[in-house]
Amino acid sequence: DVKVTQSSRYLVKRTGEKVFLECVQDMDHENMFWYRQDPGLGLRLIYFSYDVKMKEKGDIPEGYSVSREKKERFSLILESASTNQTSMYLCASSTHPPPDTQYFGPGTRLTVL
Amino acid sequence: GNSVTQMEGPVTLSEEAFLTINCTYTATGYPSLFWYVQYPGEGLQLLLKATKADDKGSNKGFEATYRKETTSFHLEKGSVQVSDSAVYFCALSDLPSGTYKYIFGTGTRLKVLA
């Protein structure tokens, strides 16, 4: 079974802190994605990557950056956390080429105080 | 641009009732269509998919048919169970446009009462 793991299930940070969310997949997938999930808005794509060191902006990249130094790991970085970044963050991976099933991690619920 | 519209929730049903969750889409190419389910406290997982017009995806008693003429992919189940309580997301991926992105609907919460 494909497994996507995320470093934390719950995280509480203060405004202005730098926040790292880590995602690891164990199926050698080329594509990885970061979404945020908010009530009434569904899933919105922040960034995605289709290869090591490659990244593409999604629909809401402002305030975020990403890093993909190894194929299995995709990190989301909040450079200076703000209260409007309080959300559920979901990581996903999929094979290449699309379209194909996305496999999701359990999510990280981030609260910024 | 591409978009997915699904019915607002929550949907509350009694056990063994018939379920329909509507989903319509707008796409420039020939998208693949998906239904994902999110159980409480978990990430999304694929429920079923269809990759071309008239395909029917099915899994765990759920079905959805890719209708190009009505741009729809409605989710149905003949007899729901309490364990089906979850949030259901309709999604599309438009391969010919070359994008690696997937578009998700806003989700429909289903609550099944015993």
Side-chain angles (χ1 to χ4, degrees), chain A residues 9 31 33 35 37 40-43 45 48 50 57-59 90 94 96 98-102 104-106, chain B residues 32 34 36 38 41-46 49 51 87 89 93-95 99-107:
Chain A
R9 292 299 300 269
N31 304 320
F33 307 80
Y35 296 90
Q37 181 182 9
L41 298 176
L43 274 69
L45 181 66
F48 63 102
Y50 50 88
K57 292 181 180 179
D59 300 316
L90 293 171
S94 71
H96 181 87
D100 201 355
T101 303
Q102 289 200 311
F104 284 83
Chain B
S32 291
F34 306 82
Y36 284 83
Q38 184 179 33
E42 299 183 12
L44 279 70
Q45 56 186 272
L46 179 71
K49 68 179 181 183
T51 57
V87 181
F89 291 90
S93 177
D94 194 359
L95 176 61
T99 180
Y100 293 99
K101 293 192 291 185
Y102 297 72
I103 307 296
F104 286 83
T106 54

mmCIF file of all heavy atoms in Angstrom, chain A residues 9 31 33 35 37 40-43 45 48 50 57-59 90 94 96 98-102 104-106, chain B residues 32 34 36 38 41-46 49 51 87 89 93-95 99-107:
data_model
loop_
_atom_site.group_PDB
_atom_site.id
_atom_site.type_symbol
_atom_site.label_atom_id
_atom_site.label_comp_id
_atom_site.label_asym_id
_atom_site.label_seq_id
_atom_site.Cartn_x
_atom_site.Cartn_y
_atom_site.Cartn_z
ATOM 1 N N ARG A 9 0.441 15.742 13.224
ATOM 2 C CA ARG A 9 -1.011 15.799 13.033
ATOM 3 C C ARG A 9 -1.572 17.152 13.489
ATOM 4 O O ARG A 9 -2.504 17.668 12.897
ATOM 5 C CB ARG A 9 -1.696 14.681 13.814
ATOM 6 C CG ARG A 9 -1.413 13.284 13.304
ATOM 7 C CD ARG A 9 -1.882 13.084 11.863
ATOM 8 N NE ARG A 9 -3.305 13.298 11.690
ATOM 9 C CZ ARG A 9 -4.230 12.341 11.794
ATOM 10 N NH1 ARG A 9 -3.880 11.111 12.103
ATOM 11 N NH2 ARG A 9 -5.498 12.624 11.586
ATOM 12 N N ASN A 31 5.219 12.845 -8.672
ATOM 13 C CA ASN A 31 4.473 14.072 -8.378
ATOM 14 C C ASN A 31 4.109 14.168 -6.903
ATOM 15 O O ASN A 31 3.665 13.192 -6.296
ATOM 16 C CB ASN A 31 3.168 14.105 -9.183
ATOM 17 C CG ASN A 31 3.407 13.961 -10.666
ATOM 18 O OD1 ASN A 31 4.350 14.520 -11.205
ATOM 19 N ND2 ASN A 31 2.551 13.200 -11.329
ATOM 20 N N PHE A 33 2.231 17.085 -3.969
ATOM 21 C CA PHE A 33 1.351 18.248 -3.917
ATOM 22 C C PHE A 33 1.150 18.686 -2.460
ATOM 23 O O PHE A 33 1.131 17.859 -1.560
ATOM 24 C CB PHE A 33 -0.036 17.891 -4.470
ATOM 25 C CG PHE A 33 -0.039 17.258 -5.836
ATOM 26 C CD1 PHE A 33 0.245 15.911 -6.002
ATOM 27 C CD2 PHE A 33 -0.330 18.012 -6.953
ATOM 28 C CE1 PHE A 33 0.244 15.320 -7.258
ATOM 29 C CE2 PHE A 33 -0.341 17.433 -8.218
ATOM 30 C CZ PHE A 33 -0.055 16.092 -8.376
ATOM 31 N N TYR A 35 -1.795 20.941 -0.414
ATOM 32 C CA TYR A 35 -3.083 21.617 -0.434
ATOM 33 C C TYR A 35 -3.370 22.166 0.963
ATOM 34 O O TYR A 35 -2.889 21.649 1.963
ATOM 35 C CB TYR A 35 -4.217 20.632 -0.749
ATOM 36 C CG TYR A 35 -4.188 19.988 -2.105
ATOM 37 C CD1 TYR A 35 -3.521 18.775 -2.328
ATOM 38 C CD2 TYR A 35 -4.868 20.554 -3.181
ATOM 39 C CE1 TYR A 35 -3.523 18.173 -3.562
ATOM 40 C CE2 TYR A 35 -4.877 19.950 -4.426
ATOM 41 C CZ TYR A 35 -4.206 18.757 -4.612
ATOM 42 O OH TYR A 35 -4.223 18.161 -5.846
ATOM 43 N N GLN A 37 -6.960 22.853 3.225
ATOM 44 C CA GLN A 37 -8.374 22.542 3.237
ATOM 45 C C GLN A 37 -9.066 23.428 4.249
ATOM 46 O O GLN A 37 -8.720 23.409 5.436
ATOM 47 C CB GLN A 37 -8.598 21.063 3.592
ATOM 48 C CG GLN A 37 -10.049 20.654 3.601
ATOM 49 C CD GLN A 37 -10.259 19.199 3.990
ATOM 50 O OE1 GLN A 37 -9.336 18.505 4.412
ATOM 51 N NE2 GLN A 37 -11.467 18.709 3.827
ATOM 52 N N GLY A 40 -15.940 25.032 3.453
ATOM 53 C CA GLY A 40 -16.629 25.789 2.411
ATOM 54 C C GLY A 40 -15.782 26.109 1.197
ATOM 55 O O GLY A 40 -16.304 26.578 0.181
ATOM 56 N N LEU A 41 -14.493 25.856 1.290
ATOM 57 C CA LEU A 41 -13.595 26.160 0.171
ATOM 58 C C LEU A 41 -12.994 24.901 -0.440
ATOM 59 O O LEU A 41 -12.335 24.967 -1.483
ATOM 60 C CB LEU A 41 -12.475 27.096 0.629
ATOM 61 C CG LEU A 41 -12.912 28.460 1.126
ATOM 62 C CD1 LEU A 41 -11.714 29.249 1.627
ATOM 63 C CD2 LEU A 41 -13.624 29.237 0.015
ATOM 64 N N GLY A 42 -13.158 23.781 0.194
ATOM 65 C CA GLY A 42 -12.608 22.542 -0.331
ATOM 66 C C GLY A 42 -11.099 22.535 -0.254
ATOM 67 O O GLY A 42 -10.492 23.120 0.649
ATOM 68 N N LEU A 43 -10.465 21.885 -1.214
ATOM 69 C CA LEU A 43 -9.010 21.809 -1.280
ATOM 70 C C LEU A 43 -8.491 22.833 -2.277
ATOM 71 O O LEU A 43 -8.993 22.922 -3.403
ATOM 72 C CB LEU A 43 -8.554 20.424 -1.739
ATOM 73 C CG LEU A 43 -8.399 19.352 -0.678
ATOM 74 C CD1 LEU A 43 -9.740 18.952 -0.119
ATOM 75 C CD2 LEU A 43 -7.657 18.158 -1.235
ATOM 76 N N LEU A 45 -4.883 24.185 -4.075
ATOM 77 C CA LEU A 45 -3.508 23.781 -4.320
ATOM 78 C C LEU A 45 -2.550 24.921 -4.012
ATOM 79 O O LEU A 45 -2.699 26.031 -4.545
ATOM 80 C CB LEU A 45 -3.355 23.328 -5.775
ATOM 81 C CG LEU A 45 -1.976 22.848 -6.191
ATOM 82 C CD1 LEU A 45 -1.609 21.560 -5.443
ATOM 83 C CD2 LEU A 45 -1.947 22.614 -7.693
ATOM 84 N N PHE A 48 3.024 22.374 -6.215
ATOM 85 C CA PHE A 48 3.247 20.978 -6.555
ATOM 86 C C PHE A 48 4.625 20.814 -7.184
ATOM 87 O O PHE A 48 5.270 21.799 -7.583
ATOM 88 C CB PHE A 48 2.136 20.431 -7.466
ATOM 89 C CG PHE A 48 2.033 21.091 -8.810
ATOM 90 C CD1 PHE A 48 2.547 20.471 -9.943
ATOM 91 C CD2 PHE A 48 1.383 22.301 -8.961
ATOM 92 C CE1 PHE A 48 2.431 21.059 -11.182
ATOM 93 C CE2 PHE A 48 1.261 22.900 -10.202
ATOM 94 C CZ PHE A 48 1.784 22.282 -11.318
ATOM 95 N N TYR A 50 6.879 17.982 -9.783
ATOM 96 C CA TYR A 50 6.841 16.774 -10.605
ATOM 97 C C TYR A 50 8.208 16.123 -10.745
ATOM 98 O O TYR A 50 8.393 15.172 -11.509
ATOM 99 C CB TYR A 50 6.238 17.063 -11.979
ATOM 100 C CG TYR A 50 6.831 18.241 -12.687
ATOM 101 C CD1 TYR A 50 7.946 18.085 -13.493
ATOM 102 C CD2 TYR A 50 6.271 19.506 -12.565
ATOM 103 C CE1 TYR A 50 8.502 19.166 -14.150
ATOM 104 C CE2 TYR A 50 6.818 20.591 -13.215
ATOM 105 C CZ TYR A 50 7.929 20.424 -14.005
ATOM 106 O OH TYR A 50 8.474 21.496 -14.647
ATOM 107 N N LYS A 57 3.951 26.743 -8.887
ATOM 108 C CA LYS A 57 2.949 27.381 -8.043
ATOM 109 C C LYS A 57 1.574 26.830 -8.362
ATOM 110 O O LYS A 57 1.248 26.579 -9.518
ATOM 111 C CB LYS A 57 2.958 28.894 -8.278
ATOM 112 C CG LYS A 57 4.220 29.577 -7.773
ATOM 113 C CD LYS A 57 4.145 31.075 -8.017
ATOM 114 C CE LYS A 57 5.417 31.745 -7.506
ATOM 115 N NZ LYS A 57 5.381 33.217 -7.754
ATOM 116 N N GLY A 58 0.814 26.690 -7.300
ATOM 117 C CA GLY A 58 -0.579 26.323 -7.449
ATOM 118 C C GLY A 58 -1.448 27.563 -7.484
ATOM 119 O O GLY A 58 -1.051 28.614 -7.981
ATOM 120 N N ASP A 59 -2.608 27.460 -6.887
ATOM 121 C CA ASP A 59 -3.568 28.558 -6.939
ATOM 122 C C ASP A 59 -3.375 29.597 -5.838
ATOM 123 O O ASP A 59 -3.755 30.753 -5.998
ATOM 124 C CB ASP A 59 -4.989 27.988 -6.839
ATOM 125 C CG ASP A 59 -5.291 27.038 -7.986
ATOM 126 O OD1 ASP A 59 -4.942 27.373 -9.136
ATOM 127 O OD2 ASP A 59 -5.845 25.946 -7.741
ATOM 128 N N LEU A 90 -2.811 19.332 3.645
ATOM 129 C CA LEU A 90 -2.788 17.966 3.137
ATOM 130 C C LEU A 90 -1.698 17.825 2.083
ATOM 131 O O LEU A 90 -1.599 18.638 1.165
ATOM 132 C CB LEU A 90 -4.129 17.607 2.510
ATOM 133 C CG LEU A 90 -5.321 17.520 3.468
ATOM 134 C CD1 LEU A 90 -6.614 17.378 2.674
ATOM 135 C CD2 LEU A 90 -5.178 16.359 4.414
ATOM 136 N N SER A 94 1.403 11.278 -6.495
ATOM 137 C CA SER A 94 0.831 10.488 -7.574
ATOM 138 C C SER A 94 1.931 10.105 -8.545
ATOM 139 O O SER A 94 3.014 10.697 -8.563
ATOM 140 C CB SER A 94 -0.274 11.249 -8.311
ATOM 141 O OG SER A 94 0.259 12.304 -9.089
ATOM 142 N N HIS A 96 3.464 9.379 -12.493
ATOM 143 C CA HIS A 96 3.574 10.180 -13.713
ATOM 144 C C HIS A 96 3.297 9.271 -14.892
ATOM 145 O O HIS A 96 3.763 8.142 -14.899
ATOM 146 C CB HIS A 96 4.980 10.774 -13.788
ATOM 147 C CG HIS A 96 5.198 11.624 -14.980
ATOM 148 N ND1 HIS A 96 4.903 12.954 -15.008
ATOM 149 C CD2 HIS A 96 5.664 11.330 -16.200
ATOM 150 C CE1 HIS A 96 5.206 13.434 -16.173
ATOM 151 N NE2 HIS A 96 5.671 12.478 -16.926
ATOM 152 N N PRO A 98 0.144 12.172 -15.337
ATOM 153 C CA PRO A 98 -1.243 12.271 -14.898
ATOM 154 C C PRO A 98 -2.163 11.943 -16.055
ATOM 155 O O PRO A 98 -1.727 11.927 -17.187
ATOM 156 C CB PRO A 98 -1.384 13.718 -14.467
ATOM 157 C CG PRO A 98 -0.337 14.440 -15.282
ATOM 158 C CD PRO A 98 0.769 13.478 -15.492
ATOM 159 N N PRO A 99 -3.465 11.742 -15.877
ATOM 160 C CA PRO A 99 -4.069 11.805 -14.558
ATOM 161 C C PRO A 99 -3.960 10.473 -13.850
ATOM 162 O O PRO A 99 -3.963 9.426 -14.481
ATOM 163 C CB PRO A 99 -5.526 12.106 -14.882
ATOM 164 C CG PRO A 99 -5.743 11.447 -16.200
ATOM 165 C CD PRO A 99 -4.443 11.543 -16.945
ATOM 166 N N ASP A 100 -3.817 10.510 -12.585
ATOM 167 C CA ASP A 100 -3.773 9.280 -11.829
ATOM 168 C C ASP A 100 -4.231 9.559 -10.410
ATOM 169 O O ASP A 100 -4.314 10.716 -10.002
ATOM 170 C CB ASP A 100 -2.372 8.684 -11.831
ATOM 171 C CG ASP A 100 -2.381 7.206 -11.515
ATOM 172 O OD1 ASP A 100 -3.462 6.657 -11.207
ATOM 173 O OD2 ASP A 100 -1.304 6.587 -11.543
ATOM 174 N N THR A 101 -4.484 8.510 -9.718
ATOM 175 C CA THR A 101 -4.945 8.629 -8.342
ATOM 176 C C THR A 101 -3.936 9.400 -7.507
ATOM 177 O O THR A 101 -2.731 9.167 -7.592
ATOM 178 C CB THR A 101 -5.128 7.233 -7.739
ATOM 179 O OG1 THR A 101 -6.034 6.504 -8.552
ATOM 180 C CG2 THR A 101 -5.629 7.322 -6.316
ATOM 181 N N GLN A 102 -4.449 10.309 -6.706
ATOM 182 C CA GLN A 102 -3.607 10.987 -5.726
ATOM 183 C C GLN A 102 -3.739 10.248 -4.398
ATOM 184 O O GLN A 102 -4.845 9.877 -3.994
ATOM 185 C CB GLN A 102 -4.045 12.437 -5.554
ATOM 186 C CG GLN A 102 -3.707 13.299 -6.758
ATOM 187 C CD GLN A 102 -3.690 14.765 -6.401
ATOM 188 O OE1 GLN A 102 -4.609 15.264 -5.782
ATOM 189 N NE2 GLN A 102 -2.645 15.453 -6.802
ATOM 190 N N PHE A 104 -3.167 10.594 -0.392
ATOM 191 C CA PHE A 104 -3.073 11.675 0.570
ATOM 192 C C PHE A 104 -2.518 11.208 1.914
ATOM 193 O O PHE A 104 -2.760 10.079 2.357
ATOM 194 C CB PHE A 104 -4.459 12.282 0.815
ATOM 195 C CG PHE A 104 -4.929 13.168 -0.294
ATOM 196 C CD1 PHE A 104 -5.530 12.626 -1.421
ATOM 197 C CD2 PHE A 104 -4.765 14.541 -0.218
ATOM 198 C CE1 PHE A 104 -5.962 13.448 -2.457
ATOM 199 C CE2 PHE A 104 -5.201 15.362 -1.246
ATOM 200 C CZ PHE A 104 -5.799 14.818 -2.365
ATOM 201 N N GLY A 105 -1.802 12.115 2.559
ATOM 202 C CA GLY A 105 -1.442 11.911 3.949
ATOM 203 C C GLY A 105 -2.604 12.251 4.858
ATOM 204 O O GLY A 105 -3.648 12.719 4.401
ATOM 205 N N PRO A 106 -2.443 12.044 6.168
ATOM 206 C CA PRO A 106 -3.539 12.255 7.119
ATOM 207 C C PRO A 106 -3.827 13.722 7.406
ATOM 208 O O PRO A 106 -4.854 14.038 7.990
ATOM 209 C CB PRO A 106 -3.052 11.544 8.376
ATOM 210 C CG PRO A 106 -1.572 11.586 8.265
ATOM 211 C CD PRO A 106 -1.250 11.488 6.817
ATOM 212 N N SER B 32 -10.230 13.434 -16.717
ATOM 213 C CA SER B 32 -10.579 12.283 -15.905
ATOM 214 C C SER B 32 -11.307 12.802 -14.672
ATOM 215 O O SER B 32 -11.023 13.898 -14.191
ATOM 216 C CB SER B 32 -9.323 11.516 -15.485
ATOM 217 O OG SER B 32 -8.740 10.891 -16.591
ATOM 218 N N PHE B 34 -12.989 11.999 -10.699
ATOM 219 C CA PHE B 34 -12.724 11.229 -9.487
ATOM 220 C C PHE B 34 -13.745 11.578 -8.406
ATOM 221 O O PHE B 34 -14.234 12.704 -8.339
ATOM 222 C CB PHE B 34 -11.335 11.565 -8.915
ATOM 223 C CG PHE B 34 -10.193 11.420 -9.888
ATOM 224 C CD1 PHE B 34 -9.904 12.421 -10.796
ATOM 225 C CD2 PHE B 34 -9.393 10.289 -9.864
ATOM 226 C CE1 PHE B 34 -8.836 12.297 -11.683
ATOM 227 C CE2 PHE B 34 -8.321 10.160 -10.735
ATOM 228 C CZ PHE B 34 -8.046 11.168 -11.645
ATOM 229 N N TYR B 36 -13.389 11.318 -4.243
ATOM 230 C CA TYR B 36 -12.587 10.992 -3.076
ATOM 231 C C TYR B 36 -13.477 11.071 -1.834
ATOM 232 O O TYR B 36 -14.443 11.839 -1.784
ATOM 233 C CB TYR B 36 -11.427 11.979 -2.916
ATOM 234 C CG TYR B 36 -10.285 11.767 -3.877
ATOM 235 C CD1 TYR B 36 -10.327 12.294 -5.164
ATOM 236 C CD2 TYR B 36 -9.162 11.037 -3.496
ATOM 237 C CE1 TYR B 36 -9.266 12.096 -6.049
ATOM 238 C CE2 TYR B 36 -8.106 10.841 -4.370
ATOM 239 C CZ TYR B 36 -8.167 11.373 -5.638
ATOM 240 O OH TYR B 36 -7.131 11.172 -6.511
ATOM 241 N N GLN B 38 -13.344 11.419 2.523
ATOM 242 C CA GLN B 38 -12.529 11.765 3.695
ATOM 243 C C GLN B 38 -13.307 11.392 4.946
ATOM 244 O O GLN B 38 -14.308 12.018 5.285
ATOM 245 C CB GLN B 38 -12.199 13.254 3.709
ATOM 246 C CG GLN B 38 -11.271 13.663 4.836
ATOM 247 C CD GLN B 38 -10.945 15.156 4.797
ATOM 248 O OE1 GLN B 38 -11.766 15.976 4.408
ATOM 249 N NE2 GLN B 38 -9.738 15.509 5.191
ATOM 250 N N GLY B 41 -11.036 12.720 10.674
ATOM 251 C CA GLY B 41 -9.665 12.644 11.176
ATOM 252 C C GLY B 41 -8.658 12.060 10.212
ATOM 253 O O GLY B 41 -7.513 11.811 10.595
ATOM 254 N N GLU B 42 -9.062 11.838 8.968
ATOM 255 C CA GLU B 42 -8.154 11.219 8.002
ATOM 256 C C GLU B 42 -7.971 12.101 6.772
ATOM 257 O O GLU B 42 -8.693 13.073 6.564
ATOM 258 C CB GLU B 42 -8.702 9.859 7.566
ATOM 259 C CG GLU B 42 -8.850 8.863 8.709
ATOM 260 C CD GLU B 42 -9.335 7.517 8.221
ATOM 261 O OE1 GLU B 42 -9.347 7.266 6.994
ATOM 262 O OE2 GLU B 42 -9.711 6.693 9.082
ATOM 263 N N GLY B 43 -6.981 11.731 5.947
ATOM 264 C CA GLY B 43 -6.816 12.381 4.655
ATOM 265 C C GLY B 43 -7.806 11.824 3.651
ATOM 266 O O GLY B 43 -8.608 10.937 3.968
ATOM 267 N N LEU B 44 -7.753 12.336 2.439
ATOM 268 C CA LEU B 44 -8.658 11.862 1.385
ATOM 269 C C LEU B 44 -8.158 10.533 0.835
ATOM 270 O O LEU B 44 -6.956 10.274 0.780
ATOM 271 C CB LEU B 44 -8.723 12.870 0.235
ATOM 272 C CG LEU B 44 -9.623 14.083 0.403
ATOM 273 C CD1 LEU B 44 -9.077 15.037 1.436
ATOM 274 C CD2 LEU B 44 -9.808 14.792 -0.932
ATOM 275 N N GLN B 45 -9.087 9.706 0.410
ATOM 276 C CA GLN B 45 -8.719 8.489 -0.287
ATOM 277 C C GLN B 45 -9.643 8.317 -1.492
ATOM 278 O O GLN B 45 -10.813 8.708 -1.464
ATOM 279 C CB GLN B 45 -8.791 7.269 0.632
ATOM 280 C CG GLN B 45 -10.119 7.045 1.305
ATOM 281 C CD GLN B 45 -10.057 5.893 2.304
ATOM 282 O OE1 GLN B 45 -10.264 4.747 1.934
ATOM 283 N NE2 GLN B 45 -9.765 6.204 3.546
ATOM 284 N N LEU B 46 -9.087 7.721 -2.548
ATOM 285 C CA LEU B 46 -9.858 7.554 -3.768
ATOM 286 C C LEU B 46 -11.016 6.600 -3.527
ATOM 287 O O LEU B 46 -10.856 5.515 -2.973
ATOM 288 C CB LEU B 46 -8.971 6.993 -4.877
ATOM 289 C CG LEU B 46 -9.694 6.748 -6.202
ATOM 290 C CD1 LEU B 46 -10.037 8.085 -6.864
ATOM 291 C CD2 LEU B 46 -8.829 5.895 -7.144
ATOM 292 N N LYS B 49 -13.106 6.288 -9.935
ATOM 293 C CA LYS B 49 -12.701 7.221 -10.985
ATOM 294 C C LYS B 49 -13.204 6.728 -12.335
ATOM 295 O O LYS B 49 -13.564 5.551 -12.506
ATOM 296 C CB LYS B 49 -11.194 7.395 -11.012
ATOM 297 C CG LYS B 49 -10.418 6.160 -11.454
ATOM 298 C CD LYS B 49 -8.914 6.466 -11.469
ATOM 299 C CE LYS B 49 -8.118 5.257 -11.919
ATOM 300 N NZ LYS B 49 -6.646 5.518 -11.882
ATOM 301 N N THR B 51 -12.196 7.624 -16.623
ATOM 302 C CA THR B 51 -11.221 8.350 -17.426
ATOM 303 C C THR B 51 -11.752 8.791 -18.779
ATOM 304 O O THR B 51 -11.098 9.578 -19.470
ATOM 305 C CB THR B 51 -9.952 7.512 -17.639
ATOM 306 O OG1 THR B 51 -10.336 6.276 -18.249
ATOM 307 C CG2 THR B 51 -9.266 7.227 -16.318
ATOM 308 N N VAL B 87 -16.976 13.023 4.327
ATOM 309 C CA VAL B 87 -17.063 14.118 3.363
ATOM 310 C C VAL B 87 -16.617 13.579 2.005
ATOM 311 O O VAL B 87 -15.570 12.924 1.908
ATOM 312 C CB VAL B 87 -16.182 15.311 3.777
ATOM 313 C CG1 VAL B 87 -16.322 16.438 2.761
ATOM 314 C CG2 VAL B 87 -16.562 15.800 5.170
ATOM 315 N N PHE B 89 -15.643 14.314 -2.009
ATOM 316 C CA PHE B 89 -15.115 15.342 -2.905
ATOM 317 C C PHE B 89 -15.135 14.826 -4.340
ATOM 318 O O PHE B 89 -14.598 13.758 -4.632
ATOM 319 C CB PHE B 89 -13.673 15.696 -2.556
ATOM 320 C CG PHE B 89 -13.514 16.413 -1.249
ATOM 321 C CD1 PHE B 89 -13.327 15.709 -0.076
ATOM 322 C CD2 PHE B 89 -13.537 17.800 -1.198
ATOM 323 C CE1 PHE B 89 -13.162 16.374 1.132
ATOM 324 C CE2 PHE B 89 -13.381 18.468 0.004
ATOM 325 C CZ PHE B 89 -13.194 17.749 1.167
ATOM 326 N N SER B 93 -9.061 15.912 -13.371
ATOM 327 C CA SER B 93 -7.707 16.172 -13.834
ATOM 328 C C SER B 93 -7.761 16.228 -15.347
ATOM 329 O O SER B 93 -8.258 15.308 -15.982
ATOM 330 C CB SER B 93 -6.756 15.075 -13.380
ATOM 331 O OG SER B 93 -5.471 15.311 -13.903
ATOM 332 N N ASP B 94 -7.290 17.333 -15.894
ATOM 333 C CA ASP B 94 -7.413 17.570 -17.326
ATOM 334 C C ASP B 94 -6.076 17.311 -17.994
ATOM 335 O O ASP B 94 -5.230 18.193 -18.079
ATOM 336 C CB ASP B 94 -7.886 19.000 -17.556
ATOM 337 C CG ASP B 94 -8.367 19.228 -18.972
ATOM 338 O OD1 ASP B 94 -8.315 18.273 -19.769
ATOM 339 O OD2 ASP B 94 -8.790 20.359 -19.269
ATOM 340 N N LEU B 95 -5.871 16.115 -18.469
ATOM 341 C CA LEU B 95 -4.585 15.726 -19.025
ATOM 342 C C LEU B 95 -4.195 16.491 -20.280
ATOM 343 O O LEU B 95 -3.083 16.961 -20.376
ATOM 344 C CB LEU B 95 -4.581 14.218 -19.301
ATOM 345 C CG LEU B 95 -3.328 13.678 -19.982
ATOM 346 C CD1 LEU B 95 -2.093 13.916 -19.127
ATOM 347 C CD2 LEU B 95 -3.498 12.203 -20.307
ATOM 348 N N THR B 99 -1.528 20.043 -17.686
ATOM 349 C CA THR B 99 -1.370 20.426 -16.290
ATOM 350 C C THR B 99 -1.264 19.205 -15.401
ATOM 351 O O THR B 99 -1.849 18.167 -15.679
ATOM 352 C CB THR B 99 -2.556 21.285 -15.822
ATOM 353 O OG1 THR B 99 -2.354 21.644 -14.458
ATOM 354 C CG2 THR B 99 -3.872 20.517 -15.908
ATOM 355 N N TYR B 100 -0.479 19.341 -14.366
ATOM 356 C CA TYR B 100 -0.416 18.292 -13.368
ATOM 357 C C TYR B 100 -1.404 18.546 -12.241
ATOM 358 O O TYR B 100 -1.439 17.830 -11.277
ATOM 359 C CB TYR B 100 0.998 18.229 -12.774
ATOM 360 C CG TYR B 100 2.032 17.782 -13.764
ATOM 361 C CD1 TYR B 100 2.835 18.707 -14.413
ATOM 362 C CD2 TYR B 100 2.201 16.434 -14.053
ATOM 363 C CE1 TYR B 100 3.787 18.294 -15.325
ATOM 364 C CE2 TYR B 100 3.152 16.025 -14.962
ATOM 365 C CZ TYR B 100 3.944 16.953 -15.597
ATOM 366 O OH TYR B 100 4.892 16.542 -16.500
ATOM 367 N N LYS B 101 -2.213 19.568 -12.379
ATOM 368 C CA LYS B 101 -3.071 19.966 -11.286
ATOM 369 C C LYS B 101 -4.400 19.236 -11.339
ATOM 370 O O LYS B 101 -4.887 18.840 -12.382
ATOM 371 C CB LYS B 101 -3.323 21.477 -11.328
ATOM 372 C CG LYS B 101 -2.078 22.289 -11.058
ATOM 373 C CD LYS B 101 -2.397 23.756 -10.822
ATOM 374 C CE LYS B 101 -2.874 24.437 -12.060
ATOM 375 N NZ LYS B 101 -3.067 25.894 -11.822
ATOM 376 N N TYR B 102 -4.955 19.062 -10.171
ATOM 377 C CA TYR B 102 -6.272 18.499 -10.005
ATOM 378 C C TYR B 102 -7.171 19.589 -9.431
ATOM 379 O O TYR B 102 -6.747 20.380 -8.612
ATOM 380 C CB TYR B 102 -6.243 17.309 -9.044
ATOM 381 C CG TYR B 102 -5.409 16.149 -9.529
ATOM 382 C CD1 TYR B 102 -4.027 16.229 -9.542
ATOM 383 C CD2 TYR B 102 -6.000 14.968 -9.963
ATOM 384 C CE1 TYR B 102 -3.248 15.173 -9.983
ATOM 385 C CE2 TYR B 102 -5.236 13.898 -10.395
ATOM 386 C CZ TYR B 102 -3.855 14.021 -10.407
ATOM 387 O OH TYR B 102 -3.093 12.965 -10.850
ATOM 388 N N ILE B 103 -8.413 19.597 -9.850
ATOM 389 C CA ILE B 103 -9.383 20.562 -9.346
ATOM 390 C C ILE B 103 -10.396 19.810 -8.494
ATOM 391 O O ILE B 103 -10.995 18.835 -8.964
ATOM 392 C CB ILE B 103 -10.113 21.283 -10.486
ATOM 393 C CG1 ILE B 103 -9.114 21.896 -11.477
ATOM 394 C CG2 ILE B 103 -11.059 22.343 -9.923
ATOM 395 C CD1 ILE B 103 -8.245 22.970 -10.884
ATOM 396 N N PHE B 104 -10.586 20.266 -7.259
ATOM 397 C CA PHE B 104 -11.515 19.630 -6.339
ATOM 398 C C PHE B 104 -12.741 20.500 -6.126
ATOM 399 O O PHE B 104 -12.655 21.730 -6.111
ATOM 400 C CB PHE B 104 -10.843 19.388 -4.981
ATOM 401 C CG PHE B 104 -9.847 18.271 -4.982
ATOM 402 C CD1 PHE B 104 -8.542 18.498 -5.405
ATOM 403 C CD2 PHE B 104 -10.204 17.005 -4.563
ATOM 404 C CE1 PHE B 104 -7.615 17.470 -5.412
ATOM 405 C CE2 PHE B 104 -9.286 15.961 -4.559
ATOM 406 C CZ PHE B 104 -7.989 16.202 -4.993
ATOM 407 N N GLY B 105 -13.873 19.835 -5.915
ATOM 408 C CA GLY B 105 -15.059 20.536 -5.452
ATOM 409 C C GLY B 105 -14.920 20.880 -3.978
ATOM 410 O O GLY B 105 -13.928 20.530 -3.335
ATOM 411 N N THR B 106 -15.912 21.537 -3.453
ATOM 412 C CA THR B 106 -15.844 22.016 -2.073
ATOM 413 C C THR B 106 -16.192 20.943 -1.049
ATOM 414 O O THR B 106 -16.031 21.162 0.146
ATOM 415 C CB THR B 106 -16.783 23.211 -1.861
ATOM 416 O OG1 THR B 106 -18.094 22.840 -2.285
ATOM 417 C CG2 THR B 106 -16.315 24.424 -2.655
ATOM 418 N N GLY B 107 -16.638 19.794 -1.506
ATOM 419 C CA GLY B 107 -16.945 18.695 -0.588
ATOM 420 C C GLY B 107 -18.395 18.705 -0.142
ATOM 421 O O GLY B 107 -19.005 19.769 0.019
#
